[in-house]
Amino acid sequence: MTRELSKTYDPSGVEPRLYAWWEQRGFFHAEPDGREPFCIVIPLPNVTGSLHVGHALDHSIQDALIRWQRMRGANAMWQPGTDHAGIATQNVVERQLAAEGLSRHDVGREAFLERVWAWREQSGGLILRQMRRLGASCDWAREAFTLDEPRSRAVREVFCSLYEQGLVYRGNRIINWCPRCRTALSDIEVDHADEAGELAYLRYPGSDGGPGVVVATTRVETMLGDTAVAIHPDDERWAPLVGTSVSLPLMERQIPVVADDAVDPAFGTGAVKVTPAHDPNDYDIAQRHGLDVVDVMTDGATISANGGAYEGLERFEARRRIKDDLAALGLLVRVEPRTHPVGHCSRCGTVVEPRLSDQWFVKVGPLAEAAAGAVRDGRTRFVPERNAKGFLDWLEHLHDWCISRQIWWGHRIPAWYDDDGGVHVLRVDPTSEEVAARGLRRDPDVLDTWFSSALWPFSTLGWPDDTPELRTWYPTSVLVTGYDINTFWVSRMLMMGLHFMDDVPFETVLNHGLVRDRHGKKMSKSFGNVIDPLELIDRYGADALRFALLRASVPGLDVPLAEEWVEGGRRFANKLWNAARFVLLKLGDVTPAAGLPPADTLQLEDRWVLSRLAATRAAVDEALAAYDLSRAARALYHFVWDEYCDWYLELAKLREDRAARQVLAHVLDVAVRLLHPIAPFVTEEIWRALTVADDDTSLMRSAWPALGSGHPDPDAEAQMQALQEAVTELRRFRADHALAPSDRIDVVAVADEASRAVLAAGVDGISRLAGVGQWTFAAGSPQQEAVGKLVVSGAELFVPLSGLVDLEQECDRLRRELERARAELGRARGKLANPGFVAKAPQQVVQAERDKTVGWQATIDKLTAQLDELGC
RNA sequence: GGGCUCGUAGCUCAGUGGGAGAGCGCUCGCCUCACACGCGAGAGGUCACAGGUUCAAAACCUGUCGAGCCCACCA
C-alpha cells in the first residue's frame, strides 16, 4: 500500500476496484453467531426494474446503517432480493407480445410463463448489479426471489395454514375489477382521484302508474342491474312507497322499494337505486333484503347479456346511450355537474369497476388487530413517530384483503375443485393420477404479489424451517422504506410476522421521504426532471451521491435533489482526500497505531481538535442511533471541513513535532471511520493509505470509534475560540483595507492577564493565519498617531497604519463596529430593563446579560476613543 | 369528508423556549508550499399572517391564509 495519493480524488478509478475487493473478500457476508444481531431486509425491488434515485436514497440509508452496525461489532446482515411483481411484470411481457400482434391467450399459459421467466433471466437482477455501483454491502450469497423455490414453499405453507385457520376463505363479494388487466385488485391497488362527472337524476315510475321515485347516480349504466330502490326508514317523503314496487325503465323490470339505514336522506333525492352486483353498499343492502343480484358487466367492462338491448356496448358508451334513451322517455329529470372520486387501477390507470366476483380473501380482522397492538405497545415503532398514527387509523378501517388475481405470473393458488363443487386446499400438488381419479381442477388464479412479499422478513431467513438464520436475525432490526408503502407492505409484514413467527418482523420502521427535484417537485418522465443515479455516480462518484442524499434525508420528509448538491458531495470527498494527502506528507513513519502522545506534549490546538472530535463522535453516534443520517452527515461535514481542515491543519503546518503527527493521524483515522458508513469508498482508500493496510485489512472490518473515550476539553475550546476571534478580526481588518496576502501587519496587543497568556501561546499560529509580521505585547496603547484598533474579548489589538491602509476606510470600519456594539448593548439593556426578566429568568441567564452589557460598553468606549484619536 | 406534513437568506433546507444557521447562488480579494472540486472577507432574513401562553416565542397553543401528500364504497 503506497502512502502517496493523487492530487484530486478520482472515484471512477477507486470505487470499482474497492467494491470488487470487498465482495471477493467476503466482507459483506454474515453467518449466524453469538454476537449482537443486526439485520435489514431490503424493500424488495421489482425483478425487472432498474435503479432510480428513490432506490439510491433507500439503499444509501440501509447501507449506512449496516456498515455502521458492522463496525460496531454487530453481526450485521443486509438481505438482498427481488420481487416477481405479478401484474407489473406480466403487463410488460404482455406489451412485448402485443408488439408481435399476440395476446397471452394466443400463446397459452405454459408458453407465456416461459416467456416471462426468459425475460426475467435477461433483465432480472439488473437493479442488484446497479446497487453495487452505489456501494451497497448486501450479503449477496443470500439473494432471494419471491418466486424461487424456498419462498414458494413458504407461500404455500402460509396460504394453507391460514385456510385451515379460517383466515383465508373463498367468497362471492364486491371487489375492484380492472377491465384492462382483467383481474381483481385489492383496495390499495386502486388509486382514487376526484374527477369531473355528472350526477344524473332518473325517474323510476311506479308500477301502479304513479310518479314513482327519482334516484340520483353518477354511473347511469349500472341502472341496468338495479334490483331495488332504497330509502331511509325515517324519510317521510318516500315512506308511502315502501313495500310497493317501481318500474325499472328500459329493462321493464318491476323492482321493490325498501327501507334501509344505509341510505343518507340528505343526498340527492333521498332515494337510492340499488345495484347489488356493482356497488358494495348496494350489495350489503341486497343481502339484508334478499334482493336479486344482476351482473350487467363482462370482464372487459362491456355490457353483458343481462343488459338487454345494450349488450356489447362499452360501459361509457352505454352510459351515454342510456342517458339519451331515458331523456327521450322523459325519465331523465336533470343532470348536475359533479366532481366525484373515481378509482383507477394503480398499474394501468384504467377506471376500476366494482363488481361481484368469486375470489379468495384474507380475513384481516384478527391479523390487523395484532399488528395494531404491536405498534401501540411499541414492539414496532415508527421513525418519525407520527407515522404510526396514520398507520393505526388505516389498520382500523381495513376490509378483507382480496388476494386472488386472474393473471398467470405469480404463486398459483394451491386449491383444487372437484366436480361436486368441493374445494381442496393442498400443501402438496396432487399427482396426475389423483387429479384424474378425483376429477380435480386446479384454481387458475395466482396470489397478489404482496402476499409473498408479506413473508419476506422470515421467508428469506429459511422459514418454515427452524434455521439458525431465523433464530439469529428475526425479528429484523429496522425496515427502511418510503412512507408510501407503509400500507401496502409494512402492514402485511406485521400481520404475517406476528401470526407465523409470534413476533414482530422488525423493531423499527424508518420512513424516509420521496426524492424530488430541486424545487421539491415530484420526478416524472413527463416533467423531464428525472435524475439518473447511475449517471450521477459516473460523473461525481457514489460517495458524492450518497452524501448528497443522506445529508438531505431528514426522517419522514421528502428529499430534494439537484446536481449541484451532488457536486457538493464530490467536493467534500475531494476535500477529505486532500486533507489526507497533507496529513500523509506530514506523517513520516507515524501511523494511527502510534496512538495519542502523552498529554503533557499536547499543544492547545491538539487539545482543541481532540475535544471537537469527541463532540463530533458523540453527535454522530446520537444521530445514527436516532436514524438521523442527515444530522450525522452534517456534523461530520462541519468537523472535517470547518474545524479539522480550516483550523487544525493550518496550525499543524507550523509543527514538526511527533505529537502533532500523532494527533493528525489519530484524528484523520477516527474521522474516516465515522464517515465510512456515509462515504465508504473514499474513506476506505484513505484509511488503507493511512494505516498502511495489507490486502486482508479493510476499514469495513475496523472498529467503530468507542463512545465515551473522548477528550472533551472546555478550557481548550474556550482558549482556541479566543485565538480564532483574534485571527478573524485581523483578517477582517485586512479585507477591509484590501491588503495583499503578502503584506504583513504588525500588532501591538494590550491584554488582561489571562488573555495575554493565551495569545502569547498562540502568537505563531495567529501570525501565520492572519499575516502578522511583528507581534508585541504592551501595557498600554502605543504612542503612534495612526493606529487601527481591534477589540476582541480580553484584549485590544493595535495595528500601526503604516501607509498600508487608508485612514478613511479605517474610520468607516470603526464606525461599523461601533454601530454593531451599540445594537448589541441596546438589546441586552432592553432585557435587563424588564423587571419580569430579572425576577423570573434563571440566574445565570440574567448574569449572562449583565456581563454582556459590561462587555459591550467597554467595546463602545474603546471604539469611541479610537475614533477620536484618529480624528474621524 | 377525515388525517398528516410544510411555509426561516435569491434557491433547497437545518434549527424547536434565552444573542437568526448551512449548502448552492451572489459580491470583493487571492493559483498562500493538501485541495481553484480551493482560501479569505462580505452582502442578503418584520423566521407566512393574526391572536394567545411566558420574564422571554422562529420554536408552545388557537385561528387564518398558502403549498403539498395520504386515506375515503356518500349513490
Side-chain angles (χ1 to χ4, degrees), chain A residues 681-708:
Chain A
F681 291 108
V682 67
T683 50
E684 173 79 279
E685 188 72 354
I686 289 169
W687 191 79
R688 289 177 55 69
L690 179 69
T691 59
V692 203
D694 62 29
D695 208 39
D696 296 318
T697 314
S698 166
L699 175 55
M700 276 190 66
R701 315 196 102 189
S702 75
W704 185 251
L707 189 60

Side-chain angles (χ1 to χ4, degrees), chain A residues 205-208 212-213 228-229 238-247 254-258:
Chain A
S207 299
D208 58 1
V213 294
V229 169
W238 301 113
L241 286 176
V242 175
T244 71
S245 65
V246 295
S247 174
Q254 306 308 311
I255 57 176
V257 177
V258 300

Side-chain angles (χ1 to χ4, degrees), chain A residues 27 33 109 323 342 396-397 411 445 457 552 598 691 698 771 849:
Chain A
F27 293 156
D33 62 26
R109 186 163 190 146
K323 229 165 47 184
V342 178
E396 262 180 48
H397 300 111
H411 293 278
D445 293 350
T691 59
S698 166
E849 289 302 322

Side-chain angles (χ1 to χ4, degrees), chain A residues 471-525:
Chain A
R471 287 197 296 270
T472 301
W473 286 303
Y474 195 96
T476 67
S477 311
V478 54
L479 184 84
V480 181
T481 182
Y483 52 73
D484 52 329
I485 57 172
N486 281 356
T487 49
F488 279 93
W489 193 42
V490 174
S491 63
R492 271 85 181 259
M493 285 190 288
L494 264 171
M495 293 185 207
M496 294 299 189
L498 285 162
H499 192 74
F500 287 96
M501 294 297 298
D502 202 25
D503 201 349
V504 294
F506 25 74
E507 286 150 2
T508 301
V509 177
L510 173 58
N511 277 154
H512 56 249
L514 275 25
V515 180
R516 296 174 176 274
D517 76 2
R518 77 184 62 215
H519 297 298
K521 283 223 171 61
K522 208 170 197 163
M523 285 191 191
S524 77
K525 279 176 193 159

Side-chain angles (χ1 to χ4, degrees), chain A residues 406-622:
Chain A
Q406 287 65 52
I407 60 171
W408 291 345
W409 176 241
H411 293 278
R412 189 139 174 198
I413 292 175
W416 284 260
Y417 306 100
D418 60 36
D419 288 338
D420 306 324
V423 180
H424 307 268
V425 169
L426 305 169
R427 281 186 167 71
V428 184
D429 286 8
T431 62
S432 53
E433 295 85 52
E434 277 180 88
V435 170
R438 299 166 68 184
L440 295 177
R441 291 181 321 280
R442 184 161 193 182
D443 192 311
D445 293 350
V446 301
L447 289 166
D448 182 2
T449 291
W450 298 100
F451 191 89
S452 53
S453 32
L455 319 182
W456 193 241
F458 52 92
S459 69
T460 50
L461 297 176
W463 191 89
D465 294 332
D466 180 19
T467 61
E469 280 80 3
L470 213 47
R471 287 197 296 270
T472 301
W473 286 303
Y474 195 96
T476 67
S477 311
V478 54
L479 184 84
V480 181
T481 182
Y483 52 73
D484 52 329
I485 57 172
N486 281 356
T487 49
F488 279 93
W489 193 42
V490 174
S491 63
R492 271 85 181 259
M493 285 190 288
L494 264 171
M495 293 185 207
M496 294 299 189
L498 285 162
H499 192 74
F500 287 96
M501 294 297 298
D502 202 25
D503 201 349
V504 294
F506 25 74
E507 286 150 2
T508 301
V509 177
L510 173 58
N511 277 154
H512 56 249
L514 275 25
V515 180
R516 296 174 176 274
D517 76 2
R518 77 184 62 215
H519 297 298
K521 283 223 171 61
K522 208 170 197 163
M523 285 191 191
S524 77
K525 279 176 193 159
S526 51
F527 275 135
N529 62 351
V530 175
I531 295 179
D532 176 8
L534 297 168
E535 198 185 315
L536 291 176
I537 292 174
D538 283 341
R539 305 237 294 281
Y540 302 104
D543 287 334
L545 176 60
R546 292 169 63 118
F547 190 83
L549 288 169
L550 293 178
R551 179 154 77 159
S553 73
V554 180
L557 295 182
D558 288 342
V559 176
L561 184 71
E563 196 164 323
E564 300 94 281
W565 317 171
V566 184
E567 206 177 321
R570 178 186 63 174
R571 286 188 203 160
F572 181 50
N574 191 60
K575 184 73 180 177
L576 184 69
W577 179 258
N578 274 289
R581 282 181 65 215
F582 171 77
V583 170
L584 291 178
L585 287 177
K586 292 287 286 186
L587 236 41
D589 62 347
V590 171
T591 72
L596 282 172
D600 59 4
T601 63
L602 291 176
Q603 303 293 309
L604 171 62
E605 62 265 25
D606 298 330
R607 290 162 52 208
W608 171 79
V609 79
L610 291 172
S611 181
R612 294 309 308 149
L613 179 67
T616 304
R617 179 193 326 190
V620 168
D621 262 306
E622 202 184 311

